[in-house]
Amino acid sequence: MMRVEDLCFSYGNRQVLRDVSFSAEKGDFLAVLGPNGVGKSTLFRCVLGILKGYSGSIRVSGQDIRDLSRREMAGLMSYIPQNHGTAFAYSVLDTVLMGTTHELGTFSSPKAEQVKRAREALAQVGIVELEDRKFTELSGGEQQMVMIARALSQQAGLLLMDEPTASLDYGNREKVLTLLRDLTGHGYTVILSTHDPQHALSYSDKVLALKEGKIEAFGKTSEVLTSDLLNKLYGIHAVIIDTPYGKVVTSVRA
Amino acid sequence: MKRHKPAIILLILSAILAGLFLFSFILGHYDVPLREVVRILLTGKSEDPRMLAAVSNIRMPRIVMACLVGCSLSAAGASFQSVFQNPMASPDILGASSGACFGAALAILLNRSHAGITLFAFFFSLLSIALVYLIGKASRRNRVVAILLAGMMVSSLFSAGTSYIKLVADPGNQLPAITYWLMGSLSGTRKSDVAFVIWPMLAGLIPLLLLRWRINLLTLTEEEAQTMGVHTGRLRLAVIVCATFLTASAVSVSGMIGWVGLVIPHLCRKLIGNDCRWLFPAVMIFGAVFMLLVDNISRNLLTVEIPIGILTAFIGAPFFIFLMTRRESGI
C-alpha cells in the first residue's frame, strides 16, 4: 500500500529526516512514535505531498507520488488533522462533502451522488444524527469523528493522521482509536503518530520509532515495542507488563 | 423542508431585487407613472419623450450601475474573506480602493474627461494589486501574511500620493472635484460607463460563481485543502484576481463606497450560512438590493444629492455595531 525508501529531508542546512524507510500493507495499523521535534510531522508532510524537496522515494499503491497530480493523490490517501480550526462555521454534512472535491470538475459542485456518499460516511462513523449541526458547535470528540467521516468520503484507502487524539479526553481517545482499528478490518490502512505508547500497544500492528530523524526501530508491534525502545526514545524508565487484558505500559521512577 | 431553505431565501431575495428595480424608476424629480415605466422597459418607446429620456437615459444607467456596484463589492468582500480566512476582510483590504482613488485624483489633476477618470482609476487599482502581489511573492514570510502586509503598505503609499495631489490641485475646481469623487457617488452615471464596466465585472463574477464550491476549501488549513486535491496556490490567486477586477471596476465608476463589502457578506452569512454554493449568489443579489436602496435614498432624500459613500457608512457602521453586540454573533 505504502512504501517509503531512503527518505531524506532538510530545512535549509538542518537535516530533519535521514534514510527513513518503512512500509505499510493493506489493513495495517502503523503507529509512529518518537519524541517532540523528531521529524514526525515533517515525515507526514512529505508523504502527503505537501513538502516536495525530499530525496528518496514514496510509493502509494505502486505509484511514485512525484508522478501524481493533487487530485490523484487525494484519491489514494486522506489526511485527518489534529484539531480543526476554522474561521467560518459549516454544517457537518457540508464539511464531510468537502472530502469528495477531488472527484469533481474544477467548476462543479457536489451532486446527489456525493451527498449520498457523505451520508454513508457519517453512518459508517456512527454520527448520522449530527448531519445538520454546525461543526464549530460540536465537542472535540465529535469534531474528530466528523474529520474521519470526511476522510472516508474521500474514498482513499490510506488514512494518515498526525496525533489525531492529542486534544481529546480519555474516553474519546479510545473511541476514535477503536473506530480506526475497525476501519483497518474493512481494508483501510491507517498510519498515525501518537505520543502515547499505550495506544501503539493496544491498537497497532506495526510500530515505526523515530529518533533524531532516523529510524530507531521498525517492525511488528509485539516484537519491537519494548521497554528498552521506550527508554532509548524518550530517556525515561518505562515498563511493559503483561496483564489478562493485554500489555500495559507505564513509566516508573528511576 | 430544511434542505430547501437556502433556495427559498435566494428566491425571496431575487423577488425583492426585481420589485425594487422596477420601483426605483418611479423615483425622481420628474414623475413617471409605473405603467409608463413598464411600457418603456418592455418596448423602449413612449409617447412622452421627456419620460423616455428620464427613464432610459438617466435612471436606467444609474439603477443598473447601482446593482452592478453593490453586487461586485459584496462578492469581492465575501471572496477576500474566504481567501484570507478572515471574517473582517473587505474589498479594499489589498489597497485596490487607494489605488483607484489615486488614479482618479491624478486624472482630475490632469483635467481628464469623465471617461479618463474612470480609466485612470481602474488602471491604478489593478496596478496597486499587482504591486501587492509581487511584493508578497518576493517576501520570504508566510505568503498570506505577506500579501496582507504588502496591501497595507501599498495602500498607504497611494493614500499619501492622493493627499499630495490634493495639496497641489487647484483649490477652485480640482480640489472639490477630487473630494467629491472620493466620497463616492453614482450621480452622472452614463450608459457608456455601464458599457465599460460591465465586462471586467462579469469577468470577475462568473469565475467566482463557477469556483464557489472550491472556495469553501480555502477556509481550511493549507494541508487539508491540498490533501483533498485542491491547488490552493492557484485557486487563491484566481479568486484574488477576480475579486480585484470586481473591486477595481466598482471603485473606478463609483468612488470610495465603504462598508458594503463587509456588511453584506456578514448579513448573508447569518441568513444563509457560510457554504459558498449559496453564499455567493445570495451576496451578489443582496449587495445589489442594498446599493440600489441606498442610492435611491441618496438621490431622493434631500434636494441636494448625498454622496452614497457617506450614506453607506452612516447605515453600515451602526449596523455592524448591532451585529457585534448581539449575543449569538460570531464576530
Side-chain angles (χ1 to χ4, degrees), chain A residues 45 50 70-71 74 79 81 84 87-90 94 98 101-102 106-107 109-110 119 131-132 150 154, chain B residues 3 81 85 87 210-211 213-214 216-217 219-220 223-224 226-231 269 274-275 277:
Chain A
R45 289 165 66 86
I50 293 166
R70 283 256 161 82
R71 266 176 209 273
Y79 168 66
H84 181 273
F88 301 108
Y90 286 90
D94 287 342
M98 290 187 196
T101 302
H102 69 96
T106 306
F107 297 123
S109 295
R119 290 219 171 94
E131 183 179 312
D132 289 319
R150 187 179 73 185
Q154 202 170 323
Chain B
R3 297 253 156 263
Q81 288 168 8
Q85 303 175 357
L210 290 172
L211 289 167
W213 168 254
R214 300 195 149 233
N216 282 328
L217 278 84
T219 64
L220 308 175
E223 281 89 355
E224 290 175 88
Q226 287 187 11
T227 54
M228 282 189 259
V230 173
H231 284 277
R269 286 179 196 282
N274 288 309
D275 182 357
R277 280 181 295 172

Side-chain angles (χ1 to χ4, degrees), chain B residues 22-321:
Chain B
L22 210 58
F23 175 70
S24 303
F25 282 96
I26 303 170
L27 300 172
H29 295 307
Y30 193 79
D31 279 328
V32 185
L34 182 63
R35 217 154 39 87
E36 199 60 26
V37 168
V38 173
R39 185 192 301 173
I40 293 170
L41 288 182
L42 290 179
T43 64
K45 285 181 209 130
S46 172
E47 277 142 38
D48 186 338
R50 278 173 301 177
M51 285 193 189
L52 183 66
V55 168
S56 68
N57 291 342
I58 298 169
R59 289 178 200 170
M60 179 67 123
R62 180 154 184 176
I63 289 167
V64 171
M65 188 62 96
C67 293
L68 286 175
V69 167
C71 174
S72 300
L73 287 176
S74 315
S79 307
F80 281 131
Q81 288 168 8
S82 295
V83 165
F84 295 117
Q85 303 175 357
N86 181 353
M88 296 306 292
S90 66
D92 41 13
I93 189 170
L94 294 184
S97 306
S98 312
C101 290
F102 177 80
L106 188 65
I108 295 169
L109 184 73
L110 300 174
N111 292 317
R112 297 291 154 139
S113 63
H114 178 82
I117 296 173
T118 304
L119 269 176
F120 264 60
F122 186 67
F123 172 76
F124 275 96
S125 185
L126 291 188
L127 181 77
S128 67
I129 300 291
L131 271 177
V132 166
Y133 187 73
L134 290 176
I135 297 169
K137 229 181 147 176
S139 156
R140 283 154 187 250
R141 305 176 55 118
N142 171 321
R143 183 69 55 83
V144 171
V145 176
I147 286 182
L148 287 174
L149 285 175
M152 289 164 75
M153 298 308 136
V154 170
S155 183
S156 65
L157 209 60
F158 276 110
S159 299
T162 309
S163 298
Y164 182 74
I165 291 176
K166 280 163 118 178
L167 185 71
V168 298
D170 179 347
N173 50 31
Q174 288 176 336
L175 188 57
I178 293 174
T179 309
Y180 191 76
W181 195 94
L182 292 182
M183 284 178 195
S185 173
L186 290 168
S187 71
T189 302
R190 300 167 196 174
K191 275 185 178 167
S192 59
D193 294 327
V194 177
F196 165 72
V197 90
I198 194 164
W199 301 112
M201 281 182 176
L202 288 179
L205 290 171
I206 292 171
L208 282 181
L209 277 177
L210 290 172
L211 289 167
R212 65 191 196 280
W213 168 254
R214 300 195 149 233
I215 295 173
N216 282 328
L217 278 84
L218 284 182
T219 64
L220 308 175
T221 63
E222 202 70 18
E223 281 89 355
E224 290 175 88
Q226 287 187 11
T227 54
M228 282 189 259
V230 173
H231 284 277
T232 45
R234 278 187 225 167
L235 182 60
R236 192 166 277 132
L237 180 62
V239 176
I240 290 177
V241 168
C242 289
T244 299
F245 265 103
L246 290 175
T247 312
S249 33
V251 178
S252 66
V253 289
S254 65
M256 285 283 269
I257 298 181
W259 289 102
V260 182
L262 182 64
V263 172
I264 298 299
H266 268 290
L267 194 63
C268 292
R269 286 179 196 282
K270 291 263 174 289
L271 201 64
I272 213 163
N274 288 309
D275 182 357
C276 298
R277 280 181 295 172
W278 298 107
L279 179 68
F280 274 51
V283 154
M284 290 174 190
I285 300 172
F286 206 132
V289 168
F290 179 78
M291 193 57 98
L292 197 51
L293 195 69
V294 175
D295 190 48
N296 282 340
I297 298 172
S298 145
R299 67 189 171 100
N300 292 301
L301 188 65
L302 303 176
T303 43
V304 183
E305 196 173 307
I306 313 161
I308 197 167
I310 297 180
L311 274 183
T312 52
F314 265 136
I315 298 172
F319 179 71
F320 207 72
I321 293 168

